[in-house]
Amino acid sequence: MTTPPRRATRQQAAVADMLGQHETFRSAQEWHALLRAAGDPVGLATVYRTLQSLAEAGEVDVLRTDAGETLYRACSAAHHHHLLCRECGFTVEVDGPAVEAWATAVASAHGFALPRHTVEVTGLCPRCAPATSPGVTTSPE
Amino acid sequence: MTTPPRRATRQQAAVADMLGQHETFRSAQEWHALLRAAGDPVGLATVYRTLQSLAEAGEVDVLRTDAGETLYRACSAAHHHHLLCRECGFTVEVDGPAVEAWATAVASAHGFALPRHTVEVTGLCPRCAPATSPGVTTSPE
DNA sequence: ACTCCACATGAGAATGATTCTCATTATTGG
DNA sequence: CCAATAATGAGAATCATTCTCATGTGGAGT
Ligand SMILES: [Zn+2]
Ligand SMILES: [Zn+2]
Ligand SMILES: [Zn+2]
Ligand SMILES: [Zn+2]
């Protein structure tokens, strides 16, 4: 139970700041590139380490793309799920009381203990969605 | 469109057979090991290739562990979700009409197009769950 | 303000799952 | 059976992430 001490460093602040300025999910490498571009460079290993501790502290949410990349985003502390744009990473936090109840019910109905769940919804956000003009697909999947 | 021709091979049959004999999610490497152990060896690259085509054909379901491994399992064709044991990989297929509706509603409420969703529930199956004796935690998290 | 030193950093090596390469083998139509 | 060509598999290559360890630094104590 000994929460290891943590020191305040310029690098950790830079990562936290950058996270706070975007509402999109980004990979560690992308955050690293953003920091470098912003003239506030942080070593890649440190970006990974910082994102991980923030994740453990519940200050960022983590998800994995189909391609296997891990994405991070500053999120509110309360339990919630995401509606994520597959094109640009723009994300909206959503809650789903019905889903929570369903997950718990399903688990206990089958005798599973310590249930946990993953729920993500993806799509194309209004900015990235193809124009509603019929037949004209701007960006085929 | 031109569906590329596909030849029947001993290796592909072996993989399909092995998949049919288990109701658990396993990684490509684990399926490979099982095949080798069963005296029906298949090259690792071929196991990967076969699992991928089966996945594209909708005959196996795919999911990624927190550790980043990709797991495969023979599944029914209809859309469904999983209740998965974190300990042994035992899996039950479940459906959730309420969840389907919720996902669609959430997406359109925010103007997201082409919605898609991921829903997985994990826990400890009856065989792997610690005895119900109060206070005695056999396997702390 | 100065020292000390445990923790933090970062460049580069290591890891490990997955994919790619390409020489060899095997399926299938004729 | 033969030829055409898809499939296989051993090993190399890829690539995100993690590890190593020499060096830097926050901050408590003085
Ligand atoms: Zn978008
Ligand atoms: Zn939830
Ligand atoms: Zn189990
Ligand atoms: Zn569904």
Side-chain angles (χ1 to χ4, degrees):
Chain A
M1 196 61 67
T2 54
T3 303
R6 193 124 299 172
R7 285 182 187 175
T9 65
R10 190 209 99 234
Q11 290 87 342
Q12 290 174 17
V15 172
D17 274 16
M18 188 59 75
L19 282 165
Q21 292 172 26
H22 297 268
E23 54 188 355
T24 61
F25 270 97
R26 298 252 130 96
S27 69
Q29 312 236 17
E30 287 173 324
W31 289 117
H32 174 255
L34 280 178
L35 287 162
R36 170 179 297 278
D40 216 352
V42 177
L44 182 56
T46 299
V47 173
Y48 273 105
R49 280 186 292 236
T50 303
L51 289 171
Q52 284 172 347
S53 18
L54 288 174
E56 282 166 28
E59 305 200 30
V60 303
D61 277 352
V62 182
L63 67 81
R64 307 187 69 96
T65 68
D66 294 333
E69 276 183 326
T70 304
L71 306 183
Y72 305 85
R73 173 184 187 272
C75 270
S76 61
H79 176 83
H80 62 269
H81 298 288
H82 303 112
L83 173 57
L84 158 73
C85 176
R86 288 192 292 270
E87 196 67 24
C88 68
F90 173 72
T91 297
V92 179
E93 293 186 16
V94 296
D95 60 357
V99 178
E100 311 302 323
W102 171 83
T104 311
V106 160
S108 68
H110 291 271
F112 276 57
L114 301 176
R116 203 180 291 175
H117 63 273
T118 299
V119 175
E120 302 289 348
V121 184
T122 67
L124 298 179
C125 76
R127 290 187 45 176
C128 297
T132 20
S133 21
V136 181
T137 37
T138 313
S139 56
E141 182 154 354
Chain B
M1 215 52 80
T2 55
T3 304
R6 195 125 291 178
R7 287 181 186 176
T9 66
R10 174 190 69 76
Q11 289 87 341
Q12 289 174 18
V15 172
D17 273 16
M18 189 57 77
L19 283 165
Q21 293 172 26
H22 297 269
E23 54 188 357
T24 60
F25 271 97
R26 298 251 126 98
S27 69
Q29 313 235 20
E30 286 173 325
W31 289 118
H32 174 253
L34 280 179
L35 287 162
R36 170 180 298 276
D40 215 352
V42 177
L44 181 57
T46 299
V47 172
Y48 274 104
R49 280 185 293 236
T50 302
L51 289 172
Q52 285 171 346
S53 17
L54 288 174
E56 282 167 26
E59 304 199 32
V60 305
D61 278 351
V62 182
L63 68 82
R64 307 187 70 96
T65 68
D66 293 335
E69 276 183 328
T70 304
L71 306 183
Y72 304 85
R73 175 184 186 271
C75 268
S76 60
H79 176 83
H80 62 269
H81 298 286
H82 302 113
L83 174 57
L84 159 72
C85 177
R86 289 193 291 271
E87 197 67 25
C88 68
F90 172 73
T91 297
V92 179
E93 294 187 15
V94 297
D95 60 357
V99 178
E100 312 301 324
W102 172 81
T104 312
V106 160
S108 68
H110 291 271
F112 276 58
L114 301 176
R116 204 180 290 176
H117 63 272
T118 299
V119 175
E120 304 288 348
V121 184
T122 67
L124 298 179
C125 76
R127 291 187 44 176
C128 296
T132 21
S133 22
V136 181
T137 36
T138 312
S139 56
E141 182 151 354

